[in-house]
Amino acid sequence: GAVVSQHPSRVICKSGTSVKIECRSLDFQATTMFWYRQFPKQSLMLMATSNEGSKATYEQGVEKDKFLINHASLTLSTLTVTSAHPEDSSFYICSARVATSGQINSPLHFGNGTRLTVT
Amino acid sequence: KQEVTQIPAALSVPEGENLVLNCSFTDSAIYNLQWFRQDPGKGLTSLLLIQSSQREQTSGRLNASLDKSSGRSTLYIAASQPGDSATYLCAVFNQGGKLIFGQGTELSVKP
């Protein structure tokens, strides 16, 4: 159970273009999804928390106008990297928590990540 | 601010050896601690989750312990196999509602 699907798995884009990454919970509903970024040989850094039907909460230092997050349904959150630059090249991973009342400490389930390369 | 540290950063062992990976965290006010495995270029696979009220969890050859008061956790892997080669990440779910990761231990098990 608890499968999170992330698409695409790899994307190469030119500098200045925008890229959308989708994160879907396939067999459960997720009121909260998290977006992480991982640079080579480094750990996962939380970028933002996405709540269904409301605005995302961004971590300090993450530009909300550059990394647009939309969580329009209980099974889908999207991250759009706008006007991408080579320094945005990274591995982006989403995670989701099963929407069970009171279970704030339930485990997170992760997607397989998206490798973004900006040329 | 919660900080999670993993030692060692890299570890190479011969097949069959038992090994221990270490994780420490600065703020003991956590809901739970989770150990993950990450293969190169891939997402995360959850291995074990220990709630703050628990002391350890076991799954097959893996055993994870938690000492919340001292801010430490260990992941014990018994009888290591080449297929265990991966990066192991420790993460704590703090009371601010966020999962904070360590930098990982890159494990290589030589046949």
Side-chain angles (χ1 to χ4, degrees):
Chain A
V3 176
V4 175
S5 174
Q6 196 171 332
H7 178 81
S9 57
R10 290 179 179 272
V11 59
I12 300 173
C13 71
K14 295 192 177 211
S15 187
T17 61
S18 295
V19 174
K20 180 183 285 189
I21 302 170
E22 292 188 348
C23 179
R24 293 181 184 273
S25 55
L26 296 186
D27 51 1
F28 66 98
Q29 294 184 329
T31 52
T32 304
M33 290 186 176
F34 301 87
W35 287 95
Y36 290 84
R37 179 166 57 183
Q38 185 180 34
F39 291 106
K41 299 291 185 181
Q42 295 188 27
S43 189
L44 280 75
M45 299 301 296
L46 180 64
M47 298 175 66
T49 303
S50 165
N51 293 297
E52 186 266 337
S54 64
K55 291 184 178 180
T57 303
Y58 290 81
E59 294 300 301
Q60 191 172 10
V62 178
E63 299 175 59
K64 62 181 181 181
D65 294 330
K66 181 168 186 60
F67 299 99
L68 301 179
I69 293 173
N70 182 281
H71 193 159
S73 77
L74 285 172
T75 59
L76 174 65
S77 176
T78 60
L79 167 67
T80 301
V81 182
T82 62
S83 187
H85 289 102
E87 57 264 30
D88 298 325
S89 298
S90 186
F91 192 56
Y92 293 85
I93 306 178
C94 71
S95 68
R97 179 187 301 123
V98 177
T100 304
S101 176
Q103 294 291 316
I104 190 171
N105 58 347
S106 59
L108 294 182
H109 303 280
F110 284 79
N112 282 330
T114 297
R115 172 72 60 193
L116 170 63
T117 303
V118 185
T119 60
Chain B
K1 180 186 173 186
Q2 179 73 272
E3 293 184 1
V4 181
T5 304
Q6 289 186 245
I7 295 173
L11 181 63
S12 181
V13 300
E15 181 177 5
E17 197 162 291
N18 302 324
L19 56 99
V20 175
L21 308 181
N22 296 290
C23 173
S24 62
F25 47 96
T26 55
D27 185 351
S28 62
I30 64 171
Y31 283 117
N32 59 49
L33 182 144
Q34 214 166 340
W35 282 93
F36 294 90
R37 169 184 173 140
Q38 184 177 31
D39 292 289
K42 303 292 185 183
L44 304 181
T45 301
S46 179
L47 298 174
L48 290 165
L49 180 145
I50 312 176
Q51 300 292 353
S52 62
S53 59
Q54 297 175 325
R55 297 284 292 183
E56 66 176 346
Q57 284 286 327
T58 298
S59 176
R61 293 182 293 108
L62 306 179
N63 175 277
S65 68
L66 173 63
D67 184 341
K68 199 175 78 161
S69 61
S70 66
R72 296 184 181 186
S73 175
T74 60
L75 178 66
Y76 175 82
I77 302 177
S80 59
Q81 303 171 357
D84 295 330
S85 299
T87 295
Y88 290 81
L89 293 162
C90 164
V92 297
F93 190 60
N94 68 10
Q95 295 193 352
K98 299 174 184 177
L99 194 64
I100 309 298
F101 284 84
Q103 289 193 302
T105 293
E106 188 173 351
L107 174 64
S108 175
V109 181
K110 305 293 186 185

